[in-house]
């Protein structure tokens, strides 16, 4: 009631950059969570599909806690092979290869026996729609780990009414796509 029919005065405008870092490569738990969030696949069903993809040599060993991509795998070769699978993948690989540096955003969790879940670069064939969804999710997370940080310009405007009431609105505008492009 104190603010009805009263003009406000913009008392402050602030702008800052906020960074959203690229995600880590998938470990099994993260793959299961994301698969449930996007597709409502149970953790057991996701593991079942991931094991099938592994047996078809389309992805690395899925039963891992690692969030790191080993330096021993040839990421450049995997990306080049993925570019041959679809036009969408080709566009994403081209964007990644045009970056100055091609380093994954590795997490802290490691597994001495296995690297994080990643595609092998082999072309999939004969996949069910559910298998392709999980495969595509793994490929896109793999791309995202190399994508760099997304930068948002955060603008907050404060409006004072009747000297005692301060309202604010915040807006976010993407100023650099980074990993969300993938």
């Amino acid at each position: 009631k104190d603010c009805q029919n009263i003009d406000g005065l913009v008392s402050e405008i602030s702008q800052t950059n906020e960074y959203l870092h690229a995600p880590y490569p998938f470990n099994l738990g993260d793959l299961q969570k994301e698969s449930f969030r996007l597709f409502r696949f149970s953790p057991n069903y996701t593991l079942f599909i991931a094991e099938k993809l592994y047996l078809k040599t389309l992805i690395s060993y899925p039963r891992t806690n690692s969030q790191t991509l080993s330096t021993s795998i040839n990421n450049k070769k995997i990306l080049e092979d993925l570019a041959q699978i679809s036009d969408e993948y080709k566009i994403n690989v081209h964007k990644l290869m045009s970056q100055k540096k091609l380093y994954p955003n590795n997490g802290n969790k490691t597994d001495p026996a296995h690297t994080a879940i990643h595609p092998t670069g082999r072309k999939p064939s004969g996949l069910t729609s559910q298998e392709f969804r999980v495969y595509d999710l793994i490929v896109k997370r793999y791309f995202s780990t190399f994508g760099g940080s997304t930068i948002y310009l955060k603008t907050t405007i404060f409006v004072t009414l009747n000297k005692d009431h301060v309202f604010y609105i915040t807006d976010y505008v993407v100023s650099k796509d980074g990993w969300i492009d993938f």
Side-chain angles (χ1 to χ4, degrees), residues 25-53:
F26 274 136
N27 62 17
L28 179 59
D30 292 339
L31 173 62
Q32 289 170 318
K33 286 177 198 167
E34 196 69 3
S35 179
F36 181 78
R37 185 182 73 80
L38 294 172
F39 314 127
R40 294 293 182 234
F41 292 168
S42 72
N44 284 339
Y45 188 60
T46 299
L47 175 59
F48 172 74
I49 291 173
E51 287 176 334
K52 286 178 79 174
L53 295 173

Side-chain angles (χ1 to χ4, degrees), residues 26 31 34 38-39 133-141:
F26 274 136
L31 173 62
E34 196 69 3
L38 294 172
F39 314 127
R133 284 175 163 181
V134 173
Y135 174 77
D136 188 57
L137 178 61
I138 292 167
V139 170
K140 288 178 178 172
R141 173 60 74 96

Side-chain angles (χ1 to χ4, degrees), residues 20 25 37 41 46 54 67 69 72 75 84 86 91 96 108 123 129-131 135 141-142 146 166-167 173 179 182:
L20 184 59
R37 185 182 73 80
F41 292 168
T46 299
Y54 170 70
Q67 294 175 316
L69 293 172
S72 66
N75 289 308
Q84 305 305 311
S86 74
I91 290 167
L96 289 172
N108 295 326
K123 186 172 185 168
S129 64
Q130 291 89 352
E131 290 169 345
Y135 174 77
R141 173 60 74 96
Y142 181 73
F146 293 98
V166 178
F167 296 87
V173 176
W179 71 270
F182 303 98

Side-chain angles (χ1 to χ4, degrees), residues 18-156:
E18 291 199 359
Y19 296 83
L20 184 59
H21 299 291
Y24 301 137
F26 274 136
N27 62 17
L28 179 59
D30 292 339
L31 173 62
Q32 289 170 318
K33 286 177 198 167
E34 196 69 3
S35 179
F36 181 78
R37 185 182 73 80
L38 294 172
F39 314 127
R40 294 293 182 234
F41 292 168
S42 72
N44 284 339
Y45 188 60
T46 299
L47 175 59
F48 172 74
I49 291 173
E51 287 176 334
K52 286 178 79 174
L53 295 173
Y54 170 70
L55 292 174
K56 292 180 180 186
T57 67
L58 297 175
I59 66 169
S60 62
Y61 187 68
R63 289 181 177 259
T64 180
N65 287 324
S66 181
Q67 294 175 316
T68 61
L69 293 172
S70 170
T71 55
S72 66
I73 64 173
N74 188 343
N75 289 308
K76 186 176 178 186
K77 171 80 168 103
I78 291 172
L79 288 168
E80 288 169 353
D81 291 345
L82 289 171
Q84 305 305 311
I85 293 174
S86 74
D87 289 339
E88 178 188 5
Y89 291 175
K90 182 183 284 186
I91 290 167
N92 287 330
V93 168
H94 178 72
K95 288 176 191 173
L96 289 172
M97 294 297 212
S98 66
Q99 295 179 159
K100 293 178 184 175
K101 296 179 181 178
L102 190 65
Y103 297 113
N105 183 34
N106 285 327
N108 295 326
K109 296 180 183 176
T110 60
D111 182 338
H114 303 285
T115 188
I117 301 170
H118 64 276
T120 61
R122 290 197 45 166
K123 186 172 185 168
S125 63
L127 298 181
T128 67
S129 64
Q130 291 89 352
E131 290 169 345
F132 182 76
R133 284 175 163 181
V134 173
Y135 174 77
D136 188 57
L137 178 61
I138 292 167
V139 170
K140 288 178 178 172
R141 173 60 74 96
Y142 181 73
F143 290 157
S144 296
T145 63
F146 293 98
S149 294
T150 296
I151 303 173
Y152 293 96
L153 176 63
K154 175 184 173 184
T155 303
T156 304

